[in-house]
Amino acid sequence: MSGEKSVILVTGGTGLVGQAIKTVIEEEKQQQKSNNETWIFCGSKEADLRDKAQTEALFEKHKPTHVIHLAAMVGGLFHNMAHNLDFFRENMAINDNVLNASYKHNVKKVVSCLSTCIFPDKTTYPIDETMVHNGPPHTSNYGYSYAKRMIDILNRGYHETHGCTYTSVIPCNVFGPHDNYNLQASHVIPALIRRMDDAMQKGDSTFTVMGSGKPLRQFIYSLDLARLFIWVLRNYNSVEPIVLSVDEEDEVTISTVAEMIKKAHNYPGEIVYDTTKADGQYKKTASNKKLRSLYKDFKFTPFETAIHDTVAWFKQNRDHARL
Ligand code: NDP
């Protein structure tokens, strides 16, 4: 991308990851970097990407040379379990429309977003980029998972048929400012942050975590993921997906996450676990070996710092956060 003028359209630009990319780009602008790049961040108000005509009109308006494609119907375990058909149909429509509009408008590069939670349920660990299609996903989120896997199929097809450089990244669980804190739709970290804030406001002396607290997860801070996304856009030119995750040894249990959130909130009560609720997959450890081989010295924000900053953001912005 260096030297040429580029217009980068970010779909899902109003969401958790999109807003983090915007923050990093604004930081770069203050340091007078990325002069030849014009960044456009779009949400569903600009265009409902399930609709082909609206998608094409968005591309016609902005004429992007590059696309970071984040827009998706996204949700936590319980939301996924209740709406698998919607997750499949909506995400299939969004992805087909965005990639086809990219092709028609001669977009040079598209970086789309898969997720580590779409990998096969029965697998060996650690999971890596070569294993996306190796078996059925966990039944809880099969709609989201199969729709995400089809992005990789589209990328390969556009490359084989038209020579396009459309690729995808595979982040682990993301958290940070601008997350979705709505309890019906949220992932584990925003749900715990919001519910603990509610518990403190009510003066509850115990706080219940759904499930056993034992499952292991890798979490990436949205600002770290944003920096890696921008690096992929500028430097990674393969159609093969690339895992964007913290290191394997940085995997944590849900109970560790809950304790860190308790510390960041300064919550004085006790945490208890409701083991009658589903845990989801016990673990889904992903290997970031490929990322480390290409970008050796990337420094992830320490988990505790990132949780602390996210809780601080939520407390300051609760009134206009997505609740
Ligand atoms: P958010 O829920 O925070 O944001 C979703 C974004 O998609 C919003 O900007 C939303 O726009 C947009 N969007 C949703 N539906 C439509 C639509 N029909 N038309 C146009 N835009 C739409 O998601 P995240 O930032 O968390 O996720 C970004 C990407 O990262 C997704 O592809 C997700 O699958 C992936 N991912 C996320 C992980 C996570 O832990 N959060 C983990 C791994 C991957 P608006 O708000 O304006 O409606």
Side-chain angles (χ1 to χ4, degrees), residues 58-265:
L58 182 76
F59 276 69
E60 191 52 45
K61 180 176 170 195
H62 295 296
K63 301 193 171 27
T65 58
H66 296 72
V67 172
I68 290 186
H69 172 38
L70 306 170
M73 182 181 179
V74 178
L77 172 66
F78 298 97
H79 194 212
N80 266 282
M81 280 162 68
H83 302 284
N84 267 301
L85 178 62
D86 291 344
F87 272 90
F88 183 71
R89 294 193 62 221
E90 297 205 5
N91 286 320
M92 287 289 286
I94 290 174
N95 299 333
D96 190 39
N97 288 339
V98 167
L99 290 181
N100 195 247
S102 299
Y103 166 62
K104 284 186 183 160
H105 288 80
N106 294 318
V107 168
K108 290 182 189 159
K109 189 167 175 183
V110 182
V111 183
S112 299
C113 205
L114 312 186
S115 166
T116 51
C117 67
I118 69 161
F119 276 106
D121 182 32
K122 305 240 178 321
T123 184
T124 52
Y125 294 99
I127 323 165
D128 69 32
E129 297 83 354
T130 64
M131 297 156 78
V132 171
H133 303 286
N134 282 3
H138 195 261
T139 51
S140 59
N141 65 349
Y142 70 87
Y144 176 81
S145 301
Y146 278 118
K148 283 283 181 199
R149 290 182 186 190
M150 291 310 114
I151 292 180
D152 180 56
I153 302 299
L154 287 166
N155 288 345
R156 288 171 197 277
Y158 278 107
H159 181 68
E160 196 181 287
T161 311
H162 302 296
C164 301
T165 309
Y166 299 167
T167 191
S168 60
V169 301
I170 312 179
C172 56
N173 301 272
V174 192
F175 69 99
H178 305 280
D179 208 337
N180 189 347
Y181 292 90
N182 177 304
L183 295 180
Q184 308 312 315
S186 53
H187 287 104
V188 59
I189 289 186
L192 291 174
I193 290 176
R194 158 108 194 243
R195 285 182 48 238
M196 202 175 278
D197 202 50
D198 292 347
M200 287 172 78
Q201 287 182 15
K202 286 190 274 171
D204 293 348
S205 58
T206 57
F207 178 83
T208 306
V209 174
M210 287 193 249
S212 68
K214 290 185 181 144
L216 287 157
R217 293 290 182 268
Q218 285 159 302
F219 292 98
I220 186 166
Y221 188 38
S222 59
L223 291 156
D224 291 342
L225 178 60
R227 290 187 184 94
L228 291 173
F229 243 111
I230 296 164
W231 171 80
V232 167
L233 182 78
R234 293 176 181 154
N235 300 290
Y236 181 78
N237 291 317
S238 164
V239 172
E240 298 293 329
I242 177 166
V243 168
L244 300 182
S245 171
V246 296
D247 300 317
E248 283 167 60
E249 56 271 27
D250 292 331
E251 196 168 43
V252 287
T253 61
I254 299 299
S255 59
T256 303
V257 174
E259 290 298 335
M260 275 194 191
I261 292 174
K262 174 177 147 110
K263 193 171 164 199
H265 263 310

Side-chain angles (χ1 to χ4, degrees), residues 20 41 52 132 287:
F41 294 86
K52 197 174 171 66
V132 171
S287 164

Side-chain angles (χ1 to χ4, degrees), residues 24-70:
V24 173
I25 291 298
E26 277 162 9
E27 280 170 13
E28 283 193 354
K29 276 194 184 141
Q30 278 167 10
Q31 297 157 13
Q32 323 249 272
K33 291 186 195 163
S34 59
N35 281 339
N36 291 318
E37 296 172 3
T38 304
W39 287 75
I40 296 155
F41 294 86
C42 287
S44 60
K45 282 205 186 79
E46 279 86 6
D48 183 341
L49 299 172
R50 294 171 300 182
D51 183 280
K52 197 174 171 66
Q54 289 189 42
T55 309
E56 303 229 332
L58 182 76
F59 276 69
E60 191 52 45
K61 180 176 170 195
H62 295 296
K63 301 193 171 27
T65 58
H66 296 72
V67 172
I68 290 186
H69 172 38
L70 306 170

